[in-house]
Amino acid sequence: MRAAAPGKLILSGEHAVVHGAPALAAAVNRFAYAEIELIKDDLEFYLGDYPLHFSLSESEFYHKLETLSKIDQRRSNDPTALLIYLIHIFKRTYGLKFPRGLRLRLQSDLPIGSGMGSSAAVILAVLRVLHEFFDIPFQADKVFPLALEAENLQHGRSSGLDPYLALHGGFVLFQKGSAEPLPQSDLPFLAVDTGKPEATTGECVIAAAKEFADGRLAKDFAAVTRALCQALENGDAAGVRDAVRSNHRLLCRIGVTPPRVQEFIERIEAEGGAAKISGAGSIRGNAAGMVIVFHDEPSTQRLAKDFGYRLLSLKGEPHGARLV
């Protein structure tokens, strides 16, 4: 029994969406996968991306849960924490006993911690397969709060955007927990992987929060996001570039675009294109995860190679979590 859930890219509004501003984002055709099977005893996990394999008895599970509760997960890179929380939330919600005798295998083709919503995709893939295994209806209005709770435990304060897209797929304008679906067309951008950020998403959200304290910056981000939305709808290439460049400068202002990535984006702009980080970025180090680029592909490929970055081939994904 196997399930998949898509990752996402944010075209505009990351960080600001946590503070009530809109964000424009799309699910993409990269997935997290969860597979479940019966075994003799205990609860086993295979995390293929690390790789990591561990087994927990019931007493070990609760000891681990208590230990994790004393750690600020926003600053932790422990890959086991999200799964322990998720099993706990699922079991508690449906009044189930400890799920002894199960093996859960996870695999992903999403870069971990790089702004593509890998945590939310894992959460929804696991929830989808658990609902099927325990013969519980997979209803979006009941599943979303569980996914949001797990994401909050992992990142501290989730806007809900990542779990929404992993659950539903599509291209949306998202604000304060509500999503306005937009036409799923070929979006005119490229995605470049600058490498895994040194800082966690939670750390970046904490660091950026002070910049949003008086509400003015959230309004600036909101204006840029709505301008980009309008330019995309009108097929206005110059308007798209202007909005993306403005968004990039706002993201630099809150300190989540490392200097090396800023240098890459300056080269893109010097050739007439536009680019910005997509996701939390990083408050230290040289990498920021994903950068979306509005520029021609051969030139973007050449510049990415100069910086040692990787150009990804991505498409919009209209569907959310499902059995595969």
Side-chain angles (χ1 to χ4, degrees):
M1 188 176 296
R2 192 169 187 246
K8 67 90 179 72
L9 285 175
I10 298 178
L11 277 68
S12 182
E14 52 272 273
H15 286 288
V17 70
V18 177
H19 303 278
L24 191 62
V28 295
N29 62 337
R30 293 287 182 108
F31 299 88
Y33 299 92
E35 185 174 352
I36 199 166
E37 58 186 303
L38 286 171
I39 58 173
K40 186 176 180 180
D41 203 0
D42 290 343
L43 180 61
E44 286 189 12
F45 297 93
Y46 282 82
L47 282 66
D49 297 309
Y50 285 92
L52 179 63
H53 167 221
F54 63 101
S55 178
L56 298 173
S57 66
E58 183 171 359
S59 61
E60 289 169 336
F61 176 87
Y62 286 110
H63 177 71
K64 179 77 172 177
L65 184 65
E66 182 179 355
T67 301
L68 291 172
S69 69
K70 299 174 182 176
I71 300 171
D72 185 350
Q73 292 302 322
R74 297 169 300 179
R75 304 179 192 277
S76 170
N77 282 315
D78 182 352
T80 71
L82 183 62
L83 292 173
I84 300 295
Y85 283 137
L86 196 50
I87 295 294
H88 170 65
I89 290 169
F90 183 81
K91 185 177 72 64
R92 182 204 66 205
T93 299
Y94 295 111
L96 302 174
K97 295 180 179 178
F98 176 74
R100 186 191 310 278
L102 292 183
R103 176 180 292 139
L104 194 58
R105 294 180 183 272
L106 302 179
Q107 191 75 46
S108 173
D109 53 21
L110 290 160
I112 297 171
S114 295
M116 291 191 68
S118 60
S119 294
V122 166
I123 289 170
L124 266 302
V126 171
L127 286 175
R128 184 66 190 92
V129 79
L130 284 174
H131 279 77
E132 187 70 17
F133 184 85
F134 287 97
D135 196 24
I136 297 170
F138 189 74
Q139 298 173 304
D141 60 335
K142 294 183 178 178
V143 171
F144 182 72
L146 308 187
L148 186 60
E149 181 179 353
E151 174 113 326
N152 276 331
L153 287 168
Q154 181 75 359
H155 296 315
R157 181 179 177 183
S158 169
S159 67
L161 174 59
D162 289 16
Y164 180 91
L165 285 172
L167 177 59
H168 296 280
F171 177 43
V172 300
L173 184 66
F174 186 93
Q175 185 173 20
K176 296 180 179 178
S178 297
E180 176 187 344
L182 300 172
Q184 184 76 31
S185 58
D186 290 334
L187 298 169
F189 68 87
L190 303 168
V192 172
D193 186 359
T194 69
K196 185 176 181 178
E198 286 189 20
T200 67
T201 295
E203 288 179 296
C204 295
V205 170
I206 292 170
K210 61 180 182 296
E211 304 290 342
F212 290 91
D214 65 6
R216 286 181 292 182
L217 193 56
K219 291 180 180 177
D220 292 342
F221 271 99
V224 164
T225 295
R226 295 196 183 283
L228 178 59
C229 195
Q230 190 67 53
L232 287 171
E233 182 179 338
N234 295 338
D236 176 5
V240 168
R241 284 196 301 271
D242 288 346
V244 172
R245 289 174 179 177
S246 295
N247 198 338
H248 167 59
R249 281 150 185 75
L250 289 173
L251 289 164
C252 290
R253 181 174 160 189
I254 63 174
V256 295
T257 305
R260 175 70 172 165
V261 177
Q262 290 186 39
E263 185 182 343
F264 172 68
I265 293 174
E266 286 169 6
R267 293 276 298 278
I268 294 284
E269 292 187 355
E271 294 190 4
K276 58 172 280 294
I277 64 164
S278 177
S282 186
I283 55 174
R284 60 177 178 273
N286 291 321
M290 302 306 299
V291 168
I292 61 169
V293 179
F294 293 80
H295 196 29
D296 69 85
E297 184 167 345
S299 299
T300 303
Q301 178 75 69
R302 170 176 47 80
L303 289 173
K305 185 178 179 181
D306 287 349
F307 282 75
Y309 297 160
R310 185 169 57 120
L311 179 64
L312 301 183
S313 177
L314 300 174
K315 293 182 178 179
E317 172 54 48
H319 305 296
R322 72 266 199 182
L323 298 176
V324 294

